[in-house]
Amino acid sequence: MQPTLSNYLLRNGSYIGGNWHNSDNFFAVINPADGQQLHQVANAGVEQATDAIAAASDAFTRWSTQPAAKRSEILYAWYQLLISHTKDLALLLTAEQGKPLAEAETEIQYGASYLQWFAEQAKRMDGDTIPAPSADKRIIVQRQAVGVVAAITPWNFPNAMMMRKAAAALAAGCTFVVKPAQLTPLSALAMAVLAEEAGIPKGVFNVVVGTDAKALGTVLTSDPRVAKFSFTGSTAVGKVLAAQCAQDVKRVTMELGGNAPFIVFDDADLDAAVQGLLVAKFRNAGQTCVCANRVLVHQAVYSRFTEKLITAVQQLQVGSGLVAGSDLGPLISKEALDKVETLVQEAVEQGAKVELGGQRHSAGAQFYQPTILSQVTADMQISQQEIFGPVIALQTFTDEAQAIALANDTKYGLAAYFYSRDVGRVFRVSQALQFGMVGINDGAISNAAAPFGGIKQSGYGREGSKYGLDDYTDIKYLCLGGLA
Ligand code: NAP
């Protein structure tokens, strides 16, 4: 079933300085549910990325000196446009990314919520006055926009990962150039259509779509006009880009991979834990950075929990995201499917037991069955890598200290989850977990009011919340003297 996409939102190439790029060199955008071509998009290269940076640089002074109230008004208009176009944006997103339509609508609302949030925060970019060491001086602290921001975003949340950055950057007074993933360029281009309609001036928001990620990334991380670089994607690519930024000592935010533990203690509400795990694991068919990757269950409740879990997972419907009632869509690519299949096969060869699923799904070439593996151990690759697929890998533990040690035994530090009704344990375990975000009796932790981000090799910087402007502003200290 091919979706009818909105002509108004569908674009054929990059948005640079308020103009739409065109060329004879196109790349295809594919629907992962059926492998059919959805659209073709002009392939931007180094020249277009450089033009976008030039446009953002030219627009910076005008945009950053607008009153905060004006920037707020425009961002709010953009927010309202996202909300009023939710259905069409969601259809576009499902078509190119695969997630169920209802989830795509939630993503558009989630992406929009950052615009709403930062439209407010734009007006709260407060400074400070600090008592000076002598009577003839005043210490004044102001926040200023860092300048041109360049960003690279992944395919798993084509709208929200970009809007989380763009909303904060524009609110602070920065101008913005983004390179979205080549698998999902259409959602990003649709944002440019609505940015223009909202009254965002030319050059303030630019989208560069192309297939040579390495070359585009090199421009975005090395052009001296870029003051700050923000990346969401894998840790491996993040390390390369952070190193490139180091040459110019650019400000950097890194939102990288995760390997979230999901701990079920023996005092947990097991029904709530099952529901929380379904959310934390199966959203976007398991392709989220905060997905529960290792499920650690106390030995005493293991059988009861597993039984309830199998019953719940058996209810999940797999199918094209465009078909009503689908809970899980396809994986993004054949390579992604191969990776999940290999991780499961290797785990089984090393002693894991398939409780449910464990095979490709008949819905299409890129679908995988919702799967539960038991008897998984910490040394298996499935415990050490991001699975990025609909597979629950169950391990057991016997006491709190062992659960914490197992949970922290990873180079990643993005999200962790645990279920417990013991208030002492809630505080002890929260403190001991080495992760930037901890869901306690909750599997859905992301929202615009909360600071999203990781530690260790999951990166640095925070997106959303009252802290979200910090990454896009410089603190400037004014020393006012001669006042005696
Ligand atoms: P990826 O391979 O790192 O790709 C992410 C982005 O980087 C894409 O736009 C990609 O472009 C680009 N890219 C790839 N190689 C590059 C290079 N050498 N130079 C410059 N840019 C390059 O990651 P992915 O597999 O698409 O996305 C999934 C990863 O993102 C997972 O690890 C997930 O945990 C992480 N993620 C983290 C967060 C967070 O907030 N912490 C949120 C979502 C996802 P092309 O696609 O065009 O090649």
Side-chain angles (χ1 to χ4, degrees), residues 59 220 283 306 325 328 372 377 385-386 407:
L220 298 183
R283 201 160 50 108
T306 306
L328 275 84
I372 302 176
T377 54
Q385 288 187 28
E386 277 187 295

Side-chain angles (χ1 to χ4, degrees), residues 223-438:
D223 190 301
R225 290 168 293 187
V226 173
K228 180 193 165 110
F229 179 72
S230 180
F231 178 68
T232 297
S234 62
T235 296
V237 173
K239 285 180 186 178
V240 172
L241 296 171
Q244 289 174 195
C245 287
Q247 297 306 310
D248 281 350
V249 199
K250 289 192 198 307
R251 295 273 302 268
V252 177
T253 293
M254 286 281 151
E255 293 287 359
L256 307 177
N259 182 355
F262 187 105
I263 311 171
V264 182
F265 286 102
D266 51 352
D267 58 60
D269 175 336
L270 296 187
D271 293 314
V274 166
Q275 287 313 310
L277 181 54
L278 292 189
V279 173
K281 179 75 241 184
F282 291 113
R283 201 160 50 108
N284 201 14
Q287 303 170 109
T288 84
C289 53
V290 292
C291 260
N293 210 56
R294 297 168 292 147
V295 181
L296 313 172
V297 187
H298 192 282
Q299 192 75 58
V301 294
Y302 182 75
S303 301
R304 272 194 297 140
F305 178 77
T306 306
E307 209 173 290
K308 286 172 186 285
L309 184 64
I310 291 172
T311 306
V313 175
Q314 277 169 336
Q315 313 303 315
L316 297 175
Q317 299 296 318
V318 178
S320 163
L322 298 171
V323 172
S326 288
D327 298 304
L328 275 84
L331 297 188
I332 190 67
S333 64
K334 176 153 185 330
E335 294 71 35
L337 188 84
D338 289 345
K339 179 187 161 188
V340 171
E341 192 171 55
T342 304
L343 285 174
V344 170
Q345 276 169 3
E346 280 178 7
V348 170
E349 278 160 24
Q350 290 166 20
K353 181 170 168 238
V354 178
E355 299 285 350
L356 192 70
Q359 304 286 333
R360 291 172 181 239
H361 194 280
S362 57
Q366 287 175 207
F367 290 80
Y368 199 80
Q369 294 174 346
T371 294
I372 302 176
L373 298 182
S374 61
Q375 298 171 28
V376 171
T377 54
D379 56 346
M380 293 177 182
Q381 280 303 310
I382 204 160
S383 303
Q384 296 190 1
Q385 288 187 28
E386 277 187 295
I387 303 171
F388 250 54
V391 180
I392 291 177
L394 294 169
Q395 301 181 44
T396 54
F397 65 89
T398 49
D399 61 43
E400 190 178 299
Q402 189 195 9
I404 292 167
L406 279 169
N408 287 340
D409 183 19
T410 169
K411 64 184 181 184
Y412 296 106
L414 192 58
Y417 306 85
F418 71 91
Y419 275 70
S420 168
R421 286 177 293 192
D422 176 329
V423 71
R425 170 171 282 160
V426 162
F427 281 92
R428 271 195 315 274
V429 175
S430 302
Q431 192 173 341
L433 287 172
Q434 295 161 355
F435 295 84
M437 299 175 282
V438 181

Side-chain angles (χ1 to χ4, degrees), residues 29-202:
V29 184
I30 305 293
N31 180 345
D34 59 13
Q36 299 293 308
Q37 178 176 307
L38 285 168
H39 199 52
Q40 285 197 322
V41 180
N43 197 358
V46 165
E47 188 187 335
Q48 286 72 39
T50 309
D51 288 350
I53 293 169
S57 179
D58 288 349
F60 175 68
T61 304
R62 248 175 308 124
W63 180 248
S64 60
T65 53
Q66 293 261 8
K70 182 66 186 168
R71 289 200 302 273
S72 169
E73 208 176 277
I74 296 176
L75 289 178
Y76 194 71
W78 199 8
Y79 157 75
Q80 286 178 309
L81 285 167
L82 256 77
I83 294 300
S84 64
H85 289 278
T86 296
K87 294 256 179 245
D88 283 339
L89 291 168
L91 189 61
L92 202 61
L93 203 162
T94 293
E96 66 176 349
Q97 201 278 336
K99 66 182 64 176
L101 212 40
E103 268 190 45
E105 281 187 28
T106 305
E107 179 179 341
I108 301 301
Q109 286 153 3
Y110 174 54
S113 74
Y114 284 92
L115 283 172
Q116 184 186 36
W117 176 267
F118 282 109
E120 292 300 324
Q121 290 302 107
K123 295 179 279 187
R124 302 195 180 110
M125 218 165 88
D126 302 339
D128 211 354
T129 60
I130 297 174
S134 62
D136 65 335
K137 288 189 183 201
R138 298 290 182 274
I139 295 174
I140 302 165
V141 179
Q142 295 180 340
R143 286 178 174 278
Q144 287 186 202
V146 295
V148 174
V149 173
I152 295 183
T153 51
W155 49 264
N156 61 347
F157 289 86
N159 180 284
M161 294 303 99
M162 185 180 78
M163 296 318 293
R164 216 152 71 166
K165 298 180 192 303
L170 267 57
C174 300
T175 53
F176 193 76
V177 178
V178 62
K179 188 213 85 64
Q182 60 186 278
L183 295 172
T184 55
L186 302 179
S187 295
L189 295 174
M191 285 302 97
V193 174
L194 299 182
E196 195 169 73
E197 190 179 332
I200 291 180
K202 291 180 192 318

